[in-house]
Amino acid sequence: MPFPAPIQPQIAGLESSKIVELWQMGFGVENLIPLWVGEGNEPTPEFICDAANDALKSGICFYSQKRGLPELRQELAGYMARTFDIPLDQERVTVTTAGMNGIMLMAQTVAGPGDNVVCVTPGWPNVMGAIEIMGAEARQVSLDQRDDGGFTLDLERLFANCDEHTKALFIVSPSNPTGWMITEEEQREVLAFCRKRGIWLIADEVYHRFVYEQEVGNSFLQIADPEDALVVVNSFSKAWAMTGWRMGWLTHPASLGPVLDNLIEFNTSGTQGFLQHGCIAALRGGEPFVKQTVERCRQGRDLVFQRLSAVPRVRATSPKGAFYFFFAVEGMTDSLNAAKKILHETGVGLAPGSAFGKGGEGNFRLCYAGTLDRLSEAMDRLIPILGEDL
Ligand SMILES: Cc1ncc(COP(=O)(O)O)c(C=O)c1O
């Protein structure tokens, strides 16, 4: 149907997410096991919900500071400082409406028509969507997939894709969907390149707690100076099981604070004060929950890896970070149709690799953040069909 009045071409032409396309097909499927989106099946811990409830009941229902309550920003600065062993002040922290809004705020800040932002793929499609909404190009540089199914980044190719219109490099590590993690040496080279070019480095570290061979993922903040053009995107969604709360934060140079303050005014005008009290509780008392969640993910990862490894046509490596398997199936060339077939025949929801940009086709993404019994049942249903022609 034609639009009743003009719509900006980049909005009208925005490709809908293939993950969402499948997710919508799942409504009404009996005994569905959804492993297509990035969340588990455990609710937010009660003490976090209670803190938000209590705050709402006590009258925290009015407009509040756009960049977040000072109490939460203080708590976040403390969390970042102790997690990454760096000095950090609350002037460098801004609360956002989850990670997605943090990404959108940064796309608005750095990109416009004629610009490009260079992104590593396969990557979470929403990052590219945010850049495209601004009329800029999301320039994709794909990771190299090794014979064993693992991924590496060719830094020379990454840098060669930047030109005079490049405004930022966007790096997600640990990566959704591949689990790839940037090394400290690579981080240093990327940071040096951005400094030399005078461009932004936007680092999405929402999976920094989901690492299986070290305590936390290495943050660009650990090697950068406070006034480097570095912005780190973070979220309460994953580590504290708060996907539906829509709460996150950015860590940035202090000089960007007033810019974000102003920009937030015209986007969301700030996040809900009572939800921020839940976030304070999460930071103060959530460590045991986070550790337990990461441990469960490790077990889920091992369970899925063991089962996938038994299928000769599947090529998968055990990811070092995040909570996804991004695995190739020999002979499969249309992952969207194959994921639909799997959904209809088994009731298991996988995300098609083609949803994640260059280098994604031929793979499926499977989220292993759920409980082990659910993952085990999903694998019982999946293994036979993965051995068939897809
Ligand atoms: C790489 C990455 N960044 C950011 C997000 C944003 O999550 P949220 O908007 O729930 O904070 C996600 C969610 O899946 C993600 O995978």
Side-chain angles (χ1 to χ4, degrees), residues 14-21 36-38 97-108 117 119-134 136 138 140 170 172 176-177 204 207 233 238 246 324 354-357 365:
L14 207 59
E15 211 185 309
S16 64
S17 161
K18 294 192 185 91
I19 311 173
V20 173
E21 184 180 331
W36 39 38
V37 287
T97 303
M100 184 61 233
N101 171 241
I103 292 168
M104 193 68 228
L105 289 169
M106 284 317 299
Q108 291 172 351
V117 174
C119 307
V120 177
T121 59
W124 191 46
N126 293 30
V127 171
M128 296 177 263
I131 295 159
E132 283 159 7
I133 284 174
M134 297 314 300
Q140 306 184 22
F170 200 110
V172 183
N176 167 9
D204 180 325
Y207 296 100
V233 179
K238 313 290 177 179
R246 317 306 304 130
Y324 307 97
S354 57
F356 301 92
R365 187 190 72 175

Side-chain angles (χ1 to χ4, degrees), residues 52-365:
N53 260 332
D54 293 349
L56 182 58
K57 282 193 206 141
S58 76
I60 312 278
C61 57
F62 296 100
Y63 289 132
S64 69
Q65 287 93 335
K66 287 173 280 181
R67 288 176 56 202
L69 300 173
E71 212 179 339
L72 175 56
R73 287 174 54 207
Q74 183 67 45
E75 208 58 57
L76 279 168
Y79 170 80
M80 295 298 275
R82 62 178 181 272
T83 303
F84 297 114
D85 197 18
I86 48 168
L88 199 91
D89 171 295
Q90 62 155 299
E91 276 320 305
R92 296 189 56 202
V93 177
T94 293
V95 178
T96 60
T97 303
M100 184 61 233
N101 171 241
I103 292 168
M104 193 68 228
L105 289 169
M106 284 317 299
Q108 291 172 351
T109 303
V110 308
D115 298 331
N116 66 68
V117 174
V118 175
C119 307
V120 177
T121 59
W124 191 46
N126 293 30
V127 171
M128 296 177 263
I131 295 159
E132 283 159 7
I133 284 174
M134 297 314 300
E137 177 199 355
R139 188 169 289 175
Q140 306 184 22
V141 177
S142 58
L143 293 165
D144 296 316
Q145 194 162 11
R146 298 188 309 257
D147 287 344
D148 66 0
F151 294 88
T152 49
L153 175 63
D154 180 342
L155 282 182
E156 268 180 38
R157 197 152 48 80
L158 180 76
F159 300 153
N161 271 277
C162 297
D163 58 23
E164 71 274 24
H165 302 294
T166 303
K167 292 292 160 37
L169 269 180
F170 200 110
I171 308 274
V172 183
S173 171
S175 148
N176 167 9
T178 58
W180 167 80
M181 281 170 65
I182 193 164
T183 63
E184 189 188 322
E185 210 183 328
E186 288 167 335
Q187 283 180 317
R188 289 189 187 280
E189 284 192 53
V190 168
L191 179 64
F193 178 83
C194 291
R195 279 177 179 160
K196 193 171 80 192
R197 289 293 186 97
I199 60 174
W200 288 93
L201 170 55
I202 308 172
D204 180 325
E205 298 180 358
V206 309
Y207 296 100
H208 68 278
R209 300 305 300 266
F210 293 90
V211 292
Y212 306 104
E213 290 174 9
Q214 53 197 77
E215 268 296 297
V216 285
N218 9 318
S219 173
F220 274 101
L221 292 165
Q222 292 164 305
I223 57 159
D225 294 333
E227 273 301 311
D228 267 320
L230 164 68
V231 177
V232 174
V233 179
N234 246 307
S235 173
F236 285 92
S237 289
K238 313 290 177 179
W240 293 273
M242 293 168 69
T243 47
W245 290 56
R246 317 306 304 130
M247 296 298 296
W249 73 96
L250 294 175
T251 308
H252 50 77
S255 56
L256 199 65
V259 176
L260 290 170
D261 194 73
N262 206 18
L263 189 58
I264 288 171
E265 172 63 28
F266 305 112
N267 276 273
T268 54
S269 301
T271 58
Q272 300 80 341
F274 59 98
L275 295 184
Q276 294 185 56
H277 281 273
C279 295
I280 293 170
L283 294 169
R284 287 188 183 155
E287 247 351 81
F289 176 80
V290 173
K291 291 205 166 81
Q292 187 189 314
T293 304
V294 175
E295 182 49 35
R296 192 195 60 234
C297 284
R298 178 202 302 283
Q299 291 171 16
R301 176 192 71 155
D302 294 348
L303 180 156
V304 173
F305 185 57
Q306 195 202 3
R307 304 292 303 272
L308 284 180
S309 307
V311 186
R313 56 199 302 170
V314 166
R315 191 162 48 118
T317 43
S318 185
K320 292 195 183 98
F323 47 50
Y324 307 97
F325 270 91
F326 198 65
F327 63 95
V329 181
E330 209 182 285
M332 190 216 10
T333 51
D334 183 345
S335 54
L336 180 61
N337 267 333
K340 287 179 185 168
K341 176 176 151 100
I342 291 177
L343 172 65
H344 288 128
E345 293 186 17
T346 70
V348 176
L350 297 179
S354 57
F356 301 92
K358 225 169 154 179
E361 186 54 287
N363 294 275
F364 291 119
R365 187 190 72 175

